[in-house]
Amino acid sequence: TTTTTTTTTTHAAFDAPQHYRHRYYHHDPHYQQWLDDLTTIAESNTWSAVPALLRFPWADPEVVLQLSADGGQAQLVKNILASFPEVNPNGPAAAGAAVMAASRGDHVLLHTLLAGGMSANAVDVHDTAILLAAARAADAIEPGAAGQCTALLLASGADANTRVSRKFWKPLMAAAKSGELSVIRMLLAAGAEIEARYPNGKTALYCAAEWGQLSAVRVLLDAGARPEVAADKLMTDHSQTVAGLEARRGVLPAEVAARNGHLDVARVLAEATEEA
């Protein structure tokens, strides 16, 4: 029989074990009970009980970090980053926490993670860049929240084109789809490629047109977006419309706007296309 001794160190925020062996506890009933208790804390919003759970030798601070971020607990996140050096601020757990924060427009929590050493260009396990999450947040928790998160990330060195991610869906496309004007302007000012294309040929202008975002369409046109650039690799069957023409050059932003009933957008784009 082997006896394992757990060494305990006192940290500024938590009295926590130095060594976590959570990889070996995922099938252990103690770990499962710990995880159930943590889930109960998150569901009941009794976050003050978290420090006690983190003292257990089978505790997983990275799991706590993500749940705390999902619950908007900036102080807990700060304490975990400060108290547990084994939690990599640029690891997948921290990046996942940042994507959660950005998706909700939680700029306070996002600032906490960045201040804890996380890169503004980190990506989560799904290859989602934090800036993309912020750009598509559409003011999830309060007006202007998406813009605050975007400004914070760009000021911290985030790449406006999220080239660190292999995703073709770009922050500018996400902001155009949701009509986030302040985010669109910030991304363009930071060097976002206005005619970056999704594999099906969609541009940010096309996305704005498709979703009826008239103000976003105007901002993009003023910034130099070309209305004559068609989405030329769409999989949607448009055979009941002008199939022959679309088969040759794809669907124009003005056409998708009209097809979706956004007639005001279609008129603006049609006029811009004629002038191009």
Side-chain angles (χ1 to χ4, degrees):
T1 303
T2 302
T3 301
T4 302
T5 302
T6 303
T7 304
T8 301
T9 298
T10 301
H11 298 283
F14 302 126
D15 183 16
Q18 281 183 321
H19 303 292
Y20 282 85
R21 295 167 289 140
H22 51 81
R23 291 188 186 91
Y24 307 106
Y25 280 97
H26 283 189
H27 300 291
D28 185 285
H30 295 294
Y31 176 82
Q32 292 301 326
Q33 182 60 56
W34 176 86
L35 196 58
D36 288 344
D37 291 342
L38 179 62
T39 303
T40 300
I41 286 172
E43 291 175 347
S44 62
N45 204 33
T46 52
W47 297 100
S48 60
V50 167
L53 276 186
L54 280 166
R55 296 188 184 104
F56 286 85
W58 46 80
D60 186 338
E62 291 192 335
V63 171
V64 179
L65 180 76
Q66 289 195 303
L67 275 179
S68 299
D70 193 37
Q73 300 299 307
Q75 188 59 51
L76 266 177
V77 168
K78 180 179 180 179
N79 290 346
I80 291 167
L81 290 174
S83 302
F84 300 97
E86 62 268 44
V87 176
N88 181 357
N90 285 300
V99 167
M100 289 179 193
S103 296
R104 292 198 314 273
D106 191 339
H107 57 92
V108 174
L109 181 52
L110 190 56
H111 180 271
T112 298
L113 288 160
L114 290 167
M118 188 191 66
S119 167
N121 288 304
V123 296
D124 69 3
V125 293
H126 304 292
D127 208 36
T128 299
I130 308 167
L131 185 61
L132 174 59
R136 69 188 183 197
D139 296 336
I141 60 175
E142 61 182 7
Q148 288 177 296
C149 286
T150 299
L152 175 60
L153 288 163
L154 291 173
S156 300
D159 172 20
N161 295 296
T162 57
R163 281 168 286 218
V164 68
S165 169
R166 291 166 294 183
K167 289 183 181 290
F168 292 101
W169 186 247
K170 298 299 180 181
L172 188 60
M173 297 172 185
K177 177 181 175 179
S178 61
E180 287 290 325
L181 301 185
S182 65
V183 174
I184 291 171
R185 292 188 178 104
M186 279 187 274
L187 290 168
L188 290 172
E193 296 175 15
I194 198 167
E195 287 183 358
R197 304 183 76 174
Y198 198 66
N200 59 13
K202 292 183 180 182
T203 61
L205 182 62
Y206 187 100
C207 295
E210 185 176 21
W211 290 87
Q213 302 292 355
L214 178 59
S215 295
V217 164
R218 285 178 168 150
V219 168
L220 290 165
L221 287 172
D222 288 345
R226 294 184 297 156
E228 70 273 21
V229 176
D232 55 357
K233 296 182 177 63
L234 295 171
M235 299 300 292
T236 306
D237 181 12
H238 296 304
S239 59
Q240 300 305 311
T241 56
V242 285
L245 179 61
E246 292 182 353
R248 290 194 299 274
R249 58 100 169 106
V251 181
L252 292 171
E255 292 167 342
V256 74
R259 185 173 297 141
N260 290 348
H262 309 307
L263 301 184
D264 51 349
V265 175
R267 281 192 294 271
V268 169
L269 285 165
E271 291 171 3
T273 303
E274 290 175 6
E275 296 171 1

